[in-house]
C-alpha cells in the first residue's frame, strides 16, 4: 500500500473544494464572492503562504489591502507574519488599509500634495471650516446647505464626477491651504490623481489582494488598479450583501462588476465560497432570509456546522425595561457576550448597569461629548501651537463652556487674522490685548486665549503626566449640567439629572479611552512626543479605526452595529431592534428611502452573522418621548402616559423576516435565563 502524500502546509486543515481552489489557483485575475464565516481570510493568508513557500514571488512584491485597520492588523499579526519565516532578510508583505497606503505615499512624496498639508481634519473641525467659508458660498445660505454640499464634494472624491459647484470646492480648498489641512476623504483621491499625473512614481506590486472589496469607494478601486503591475495578479474578495458603508460613498457594485476592463474580464476566475463555517443552522437560516429581503443576488449560505443553535426573539414593554433586563441577564451569565446596539446611548446605559465586566468600544464616536471634544482640541493645540486648524478649532468654542459658540466666532477670528500673527504669538497677543478683536465672538476668543495660556503654565514637563492631565477621566465630574427649564416638574428634574449622569459617564469613558490609547501609542513609539501621539489618535479617529490594540478581549463587548464588522462571538445580543430606530427616520426621496432600508437590512445581516451558537434579538414597545429626538428615533403622533412620563409607541423592526413563533415576553425570558445561569454556577462549583 502506497504512502499518502504529505499535504503542503498551506492546505493543512483546509476543507472544501472551493477553498482549495482559491489557495492553489494560478489565474492572474480572481474574484471571490464569499459570505460571512466563509473562511475567506484563512484562504487569503494560505494563498500568500503558498506564493512565498513556492518562491513564486518575493515577499516585498505582495500587497494585502483591506477596508479596516483592525482586519489589516489581524491579517498581518495573526495570519501572515508568523507563518512566513521571521528570520528571513526580505521585507514583509505590505499589509495595510488602502487609505493608510495612500497616506504613506503622500508622506513619502510631499511635493505631490501641491502645497496642501497632511494634517487631517476631524468632524468638528470640518464644521468650523463650513462656518468660515459661508460668505464665499452665499448660494448655500445655511450650515445644513453647506454640510450637504461638502458631502457631495466627498462623493466626488469617492466616485470622480463633474462637480456640482466649483466655487464651493474652491472655497474649501482655499481654507485648507490657508490652515495647512486636508480632509480624510480626499486622501485616496489626491494620491490617485498624483499617480496618474506622474507626481508619484509608485512601485507596483506583482500580487495584490484586496479584502472587503465591496466596502471600497470607486476611487479606492481605481487606486488598486494603479498599484498593481500590468502583468501582476489581483485577487479581490468581498460580498455585496455586507455593503454597509453608504455614508462614506462606498461602491458595492464594484465587486459584482469586477473586473471592469475587457482584457481582465476574459481571464477572470470566479470562485464562490458558499459555506458558512461560523454560525449554527438557525442563525444561517435567519441571515439568509434577511439577505434575500435586501435583494441578494447570491445563492443562500450553506451551514457547515451540525448544530441547530438558538435564536431568541424577546420583546419588552419599555426601552428602560429592555436595557435593565438585558443587563441583569448579562451579569448573571459568565460567558463572553458581544452586545450590538442600534443607538449609542443604549450601549452606555447597558455598560453602566453591567459594570466592570463590560467595555464600550464606540471608537468612531469618542469625540461626541462636547467636553471630551474640547479636551482633545486643547491637546491638539498644545501638541503643536503652529497647527492652524487646531488653533481655529480652539477659538470656535464658547468662552468658558466646552460646546461650540454661535457661528463659531467667525467674525472675531477674521479680525484676529488681520494681525498676521500665528500660533503662540497670536494667542499671547489676544490675551494681552495687543491684537485687537472685533465682531461677534471677540469675548469668547479672548477667554479661550487666556484659558490656553493658563493650561500651558500648569502643564507638567513629562509626556505621560501631560497625557494624564489632558485626558483625566475625573474631569468629567466638572462638566456643566443641562439647563433646567422654568417650572420643572419633579419627574422632569429626575430625568434631567439622570441624563446629566449619563453625560458624565459617557465623558468619563471616552476620556479614559483616549488616555489609554495615548499611553499605548507613547509606549510603542521610539522617542515619542505629544505631537506623535495626537497625530496617531487623530488619524485613528478620522478613519474610524480602533483606538487601542488590545489582545485581552473583555467578557462583554458593547458596540454599534457598524462596529461589529470582522468580529464574532459564541453569543450575540442585538438590542434596540424597534422599527422607529432601524431603519428609523425615513428619507423624503422614495428612491433614497429604499436604498436606506436595503443598507439597514445588510447592516442587520452583518450583525446577526457575528453569532456562532446563540443569537438574541431584542426590542421594546415604548420609549419616553423626551428620548426620541435627541437620539434620532422616530416619534409617533399618538403617545401614552405612564407614571407621569409620556411615551411614544414602537414596533418590532420591519427589517426582520416574519418569525413563525411568538416572541418571548422580556420578564419571562429574563427569569429563565437567570435560572439557567444559576444552575450552571452550581454545577461548576460542584466537585
Amino acid at each position: 500500500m502506497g504512502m499518502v502524500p504529505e499535504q503542503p502546509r498551506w492546505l493543512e486543515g483546509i476543507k472544501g473544494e472551493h477553498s482549495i481552489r482559491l489557495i492553489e489557483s494560478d489565474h492572474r485575475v480572481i474574484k471571490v464572492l464569499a459570505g460571512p464565516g466563509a473562511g475567506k481570510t484563512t484562504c487569503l493568508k494560505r494563498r500568500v503562504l503558498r506564493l512565498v513557500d513556492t518562491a513564486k514571488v518575493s515577499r516585498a512584491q505582495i500587497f494585502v489591502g483591506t477596508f479596516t485597520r483592525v482586519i489589516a492588523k489581524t491579517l498581518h499579526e495573526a495570519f501572515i507574519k508568523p507563518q512566513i519565516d521571521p528570520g528571513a532578510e526580505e521585507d514583509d508583505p505590505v499589509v495595510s488599509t488602502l487609505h493608510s497606503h495612500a497616506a504613506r505615499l503622500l508622506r513619502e512624496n510631499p511635493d505631490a500634495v501641491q502645497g496642501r498639508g497632511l494634517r487631517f481634519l476631524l468632524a468638528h473641525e470640518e464644521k468650523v471650516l463650513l462656518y468660515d467659508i459661508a460668505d464665499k458660498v452665499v448660494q448655500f445660505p445655511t450650515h445644513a446647505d453647506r454640510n450637504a454640499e461638502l458631502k457631495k464634494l466627498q462623493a466626488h472624491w469617492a466616485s470622480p464626477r463633474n462637480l456640482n459647484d466649483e466655487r464651493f470646492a474652491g472655497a474649501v480648498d482655499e481654507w485648507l491651504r490657508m490652515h495647512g489641512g486636508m480632509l480624510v476623504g480626499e486622501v485616496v483621491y489626491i494620491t490617485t490623481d498624483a499617480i496618474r499625473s506622474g507626481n508619484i512614481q509608485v512601485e507596483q506590486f506583482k500580487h495584490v489582494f484586496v479584502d472587503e472589496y465591496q466596502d471600497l469607494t470607486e476611487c479606492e478601486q481605481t487606486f488598486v488598479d494603479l498599484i498593481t503591475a500590468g502583468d501582476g495578479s489581483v485577487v479581490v474578495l468581498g460580498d455585496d450583501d455586507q455593503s454597509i458603508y453608504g455614508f462614506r460613498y462606498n461602491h458595492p457594485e464594484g465587486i459584482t462588476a469586477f473586473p471592469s476592463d475587457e482584457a481582465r474580464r476574459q481571464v477572470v476566475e470566479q470562485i464562490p465560497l458558499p459555506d458558512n463555517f461560523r454560525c449554527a443552522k438557525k442563525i444561517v437560516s435567519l441571515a439568509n432570509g434577511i439577505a434575500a429581503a435586501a435583494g441578494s443576488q447570491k445563492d443562500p449560505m450553506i451551514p457547515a456546522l451540525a448544530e441547530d443553535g438558538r435564536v431568541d426573539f424577546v420583546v419588552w414593554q419599555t426601552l428602560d425595561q429592555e436595557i435593565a433586563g438585558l443587563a441583569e441577564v448579562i451579569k448573571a451569565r459568565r460567558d463572553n457576550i458581544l452586545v450590538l446596539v442600534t443607538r449609542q446611548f443604549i450601549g452606555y446605559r447597558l455598560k453602566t448597569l453591567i459594570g466592570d465586566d463590560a467595555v464600550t468600544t464606540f471608537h468612531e464616536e469618542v469625540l461626541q461629548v462636547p467636553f471630551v471634544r474640547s479636551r482633545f482640541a486643547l491637546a491638539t493645540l498644545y501638541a503643536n501651537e503652529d497647527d492652524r486648524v487646531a488653533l481655529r478649532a480652539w477659538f470656535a468654542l464658547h468662552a468658558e463652556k466646552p460646546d461650540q459658540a454661535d457661528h463659531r466666532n467667525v467674525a472675531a477670528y477674521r479680525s484676529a487674522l488681520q494681525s498676521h500673527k500665528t500660533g503662540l504669538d497670536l494667542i499671547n497677543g489676544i490675551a494681552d490685548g495687543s491684537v485687537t478683536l472685533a465682531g461677534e465672538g471677540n469675548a469668547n476668543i479672548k477667554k479661550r486665549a487666556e484659558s490656553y495660556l493658563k493650561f500651558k503654565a500648569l502643564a507638567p514637563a513629562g509626556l505621560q503626566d501631560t497625557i494624564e492631565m489632558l485626558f483625566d477621566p475625573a474631569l468629567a465630574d466638572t462638566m456643566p449640567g443641562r439647563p433646567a427649564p422654568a417650572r420643572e416638574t419633579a419627574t422632569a428634574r429626575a430625568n434631567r439629572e439622570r441624563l446629566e449622569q449619563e453625560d458624565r459617564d459617557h465623558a468619563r469613558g471616552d476620556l479614559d479611552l483616549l488616555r489609554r490609547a495615548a499611553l499605548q501609542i507613547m509606549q510603542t513609539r521610539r522617542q515619542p512626543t505629544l505631537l506623535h501621539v495626537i497625530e496617531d489618535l487623530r488619524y485613528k479617529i478620522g478613519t474610524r479605526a480602533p483606538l487601542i490594540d488590545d489582545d485581552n478581549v473583555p467578557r462583554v463587548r458593547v458596540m454599534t452595529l457598524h462596529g461589529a464588522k470582522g468580529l464574532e462571538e459564541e453569543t450575540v445580543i442585538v438590542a434596540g431592534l424597534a422599527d422607529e430606530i432601524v431603519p428609523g427616520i425615513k428619507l423624503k426621496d422614495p428612491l433614497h428611502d429604499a436604498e436606506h432600508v436595503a443598507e439597514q437590512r445588510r447592516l442587520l445581516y452583518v450583525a446577526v452573522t457575528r453569532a456562532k451558537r446563540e443569537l438574541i434579538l431584542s426590542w421594546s414597545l415604548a420609549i419616553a418621548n423626551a428620548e426620541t429626538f435627541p437620539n434620532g428615533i422616530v416619534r409617533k403622533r399618538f403617545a401614552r402616559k405612564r407614571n407621569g412620563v409620556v411615551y411614544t409607541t414602537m414596533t418590532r423592526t420591519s427589517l426582520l423576516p416574519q418569525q413563525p413563533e411568538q416572541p418571548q415576553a422580556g420578564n419571562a425570558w429574563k427569569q429563565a435565563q437567570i435560572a439557567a445561569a444559576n444552575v450552571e454556577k452550581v454545577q461548576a462549583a460542584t466537585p
Side-chain angles (χ1 to χ4, degrees):
M1 192 171 179
M3 296 284 290
V4 177
E6 185 178 349
Q7 270 194 328
R9 64 173 183 156
W10 57 81
L11 291 181
E12 290 176 359
I14 297 296
K15 299 177 181 178
E17 60 176 302
H18 297 292
S19 298
I20 295 173
R21 179 178 156 202
L22 170 57
I23 295 167
E24 300 230 294
S25 173
D26 283 322
H27 272 69
R28 190 170 65 85
V29 183
I30 300 175
K31 175 169 70 174
V32 182
L33 292 176
K40 61 184 174 67
T41 305
T42 298
C43 291
L44 189 157
K45 61 145 181 179
R46 295 298 185 90
R47 183 174 173 83
V48 171
L49 189 61
R50 180 181 73 86
L51 289 174
V52 174
D53 272 12
T54 56
K56 290 182 179 292
V57 65
S58 70
R59 303 192 306 186
Q61 293 179 307
I62 298 173
F63 176 83
V64 183
T66 185
F67 174 66
T68 66
R69 287 177 65 167
V70 65
I71 297 176
K73 177 177 181 291
T74 299
L75 283 169
H76 190 265
E77 295 186 0
F79 293 143
I80 294 174
K81 193 169 184 178
Q83 297 192 37
I84 298 175
D85 181 9
E89 295 182 359
E90 288 186 76
D91 293 333
D92 286 331
V94 176
V95 184
S96 171
T97 67
L98 293 174
H99 193 283
S100 294
H101 190 61
R104 190 178 80 178
L105 289 175
L106 290 182
R107 290 191 183 95
E108 292 173 352
N109 299 271
D111 291 342
V113 300
Q114 297 180 311
R116 293 285 296 279
L118 269 171
R119 193 281 192 198
F120 302 116
L121 272 67
L122 297 180
H124 66 282
E125 295 166 336
E126 290 181 5
K127 289 180 180 179
V128 175
L129 177 160
L130 293 177
Y131 276 100
D132 278 353
I133 68 172
D135 66 328
K136 297 183 179 180
V137 290
V138 293
Q139 67 273 35
F140 304 109
T142 70
H143 179 72
D145 293 334
R146 295 188 294 276
N147 192 52
E149 192 62 20
L150 183 63
K151 288 183 178 180
K152 291 178 183 177
L153 181 58
Q154 291 170 326
H156 160 73
W157 294 330
S159 302
R161 300 286 186 271
N162 291 331
L163 287 174
N164 290 346
D165 196 296
E166 294 282 0
R167 287 177 297 171
F168 182 87
V172 170
D173 183 70
E174 181 184 8
W175 191 98
L176 291 169
R177 288 180 183 279
M178 174 181 164
H179 290 84
M182 182 180 292
L183 301 183
V184 172
E186 61 181 331
V187 170
V188 178
Y189 175 75
I190 291 175
T191 309
T192 300
D193 185 63
I195 295 172
R196 281 174 162 167
S197 64
N199 291 337
I200 293 180
Q201 299 295 320
V202 66
E203 188 170 337
Q204 296 177 315
F205 297 93
K206 294 287 289 184
H207 289 269
V208 172
F209 300 81
V210 184
D211 195 14
E212 306 290 355
Y213 195 76
Q214 79 285 345
D215 287 332
L216 306 185
T217 65
E218 188 175 348
C219 189
E220 287 168 334
Q221 291 166 358
T222 300
F223 180 58
V224 171
D225 292 338
L226 292 174
I227 65 173
T228 305
D231 61 345
S233 76
V234 59
V235 179
V236 302
L237 308 94
D239 176 15
D240 50 346
D241 291 341
Q242 296 187 74
S243 174
I244 60 173
Y245 295 102
F247 60 84
R248 68 179 295 276
Y249 312 102
N250 67 319
H251 183 58
E253 298 84 0
I255 184 67
T256 52
F258 177 88
S260 56
D261 60 284
E262 187 60 31
R264 290 191 300 175
R265 194 177 289 127
Q266 297 299 320
V267 297
V268 66
E269 180 181 21
Q270 298 192 44
I271 302 177
L273 295 180
D275 294 321
N276 182 304
F277 296 98
R278 177 192 298 152
C279 308
K281 290 180 180 178
K282 287 185 177 180
I283 299 170
V284 171
S285 176
L286 174 67
N288 282 337
I290 295 172
S296 174
Q297 299 301 305
K298 296 200 321 297
D299 291 335
M301 292 183 292
I302 301 171
L305 301 181
E307 301 97 315
D308 283 338
R310 176 173 178 169
V311 178
D312 285 354
F313 297 89
V314 187
V315 59
W316 309 81
Q317 290 302 307
T318 69
L319 181 63
D320 284 343
Q321 290 181 17
E322 179 181 2
I323 293 170
L326 291 175
E328 284 187 60
V329 169
I330 293 169
K331 288 174 68 175
R333 295 175 57 155
R334 302 311 306 162
D335 54 335
N336 289 354
I337 299 175
L338 175 62
V339 184
L340 305 177
V341 295
T342 53
R343 286 292 185 273
Q344 187 178 352
F345 80 101
I346 298 174
Y348 277 123
R349 290 186 187 175
L350 279 167
K351 156 67 178 132
T352 299
L353 292 175
I354 296 168
D356 293 340
D357 263 1
V359 173
T360 53
T361 51
F362 302 129
H363 304 294
E364 70 277 17
E365 304 291 350
V366 71
L367 300 183
Q368 185 182 49
V369 178
F371 184 82
V372 179
R373 196 162 55 234
S374 71
R375 296 302 294 182
F376 192 81
L378 174 62
T380 305
L381 180 57
Y382 188 61
N384 180 10
E385 292 169 335
D386 292 322
D387 183 338
R388 295 187 177 189
V389 176
L391 183 62
R392 178 65 189 102
W394 182 250
F395 282 158
L397 299 172
H398 272 303
E400 295 174 344
K401 295 180 180 179
D403 50 331
Q404 302 284 356
D406 291 340
H407 303 104
R408 306 306 193 268
N409 303 319
V410 169
Y413 175 67
R414 284 189 183 160
S415 71
L417 294 181
Q418 299 304 312
S419 69
H420 301 291
K421 293 184 177 181
T422 60
L424 188 58
D425 287 342
L426 180 59
I427 296 172
N428 282 322
I430 292 172
D432 65 23
S434 61
V435 172
T436 303
L437 299 176
E440 181 185 9
N442 63 82
N444 284 335
I445 288 185
K446 184 171 177 59
K447 283 283 189 182
R448 278 288 142 189
E450 294 168 350
S451 175
Y452 176 76
L453 293 175
K454 181 179 179 181
F455 170 83
K456 184 179 175 70
L458 297 174
L463 176 56
Q464 180 168 340
D465 289 340
T466 301
I467 291 171
E468 298 280 5
M469 183 178 183
L470 284 165
F471 303 127
D472 182 2
L475 290 169
D477 294 330
T478 69
M479 285 174 53
R482 298 189 176 202
R487 299 180 181 178
E488 186 178 34
T489 66
T491 300
R493 183 175 65 252
N495 189 56
R496 176 175 57 80
E497 291 173 349
R498 178 170 70 101
L499 293 175
E500 287 177 347
Q501 184 58 49
E502 287 185 7
D503 290 343
R504 288 189 288 270
D505 290 341
H506 296 184
R508 188 176 295 107
D510 289 347
L511 285 169
D512 185 55
L513 178 58
L514 286 169
R515 181 187 65 83
R516 290 185 291 117
L519 292 175
Q520 185 177 79
I521 293 168
M522 182 192 79
Q523 291 162 2
T524 55
R525 269 188 171 267
R526 291 182 179 179
Q527 299 180 329
T529 65
L530 184 61
L531 181 59
H532 292 144
V533 170
I534 296 302
E535 284 180 339
D536 282 2
L537 278 177
R538 184 168 58 240
Y539 187 74
K540 288 184 176 184
I541 294 169
T543 57
R544 295 175 176 247
L547 296 190
I548 292 181
D549 297 327
D550 191 357
D551 296 329
N552 298 317
V553 178
R555 188 178 78 83
V556 182
R557 290 174 289 172
V558 184
M559 60 187 63
T560 59
L561 304 188
H562 277 103
K565 197 73 174 282
L567 301 179
E568 60 183 32
E569 191 54 82
E570 293 290 328
T571 297
V572 171
I573 298 175
V574 187
L577 284 173
D579 205 52
E580 292 70 21
I581 303 178
V582 287
I585 297 174
K586 304 297 190 294
L587 307 176
K588 294 180 181 179
D589 185 324
L591 177 60
H592 288 171
D593 182 41
E595 291 174 351
H596 171 71
V597 172
E599 179 164 292
Q600 291 291 294
R601 276 203 173 94
R602 295 194 296 270
L603 182 59
L604 185 58
Y605 172 76
V606 170
V608 302
T609 52
R610 302 308 96 194
K612 294 181 178 180
R613 301 292 188 276
E614 181 182 20
L615 175 65
I616 298 160
L617 303 171
S618 172
W619 68 94
S620 51
L621 300 177
I623 181 175
N625 264 12
E627 297 181 351
T628 53
F629 286 158
N631 295 301
I633 299 172
V634 176
R635 179 184 292 184
K636 297 290 185 63
R637 178 182 299 179
F638 303 105
R640 62 185 180 185
K641 185 177 287 189
R642 179 187 298 174
N643 299 326
V645 178
V646 179
Y647 286 88
T648 190
T649 57
M650 297 197 297
T651 56
R652 189 198 68 168
T653 179
S654 56
L655 303 180
L656 281 171
Q658 292 296 323
Q659 73 247 28
E661 71 275 13
Q662 184 174 346
Q664 300 180 58
N667 284 333
W669 175 84
K670 177 183 71 175
Q671 295 303 328
Q673 285 275 319
I674 292 174
N678 289 335
V679 169
E680 289 185 8
K681 289 177 185 176
V682 171
Q683 291 175 342
T686 303

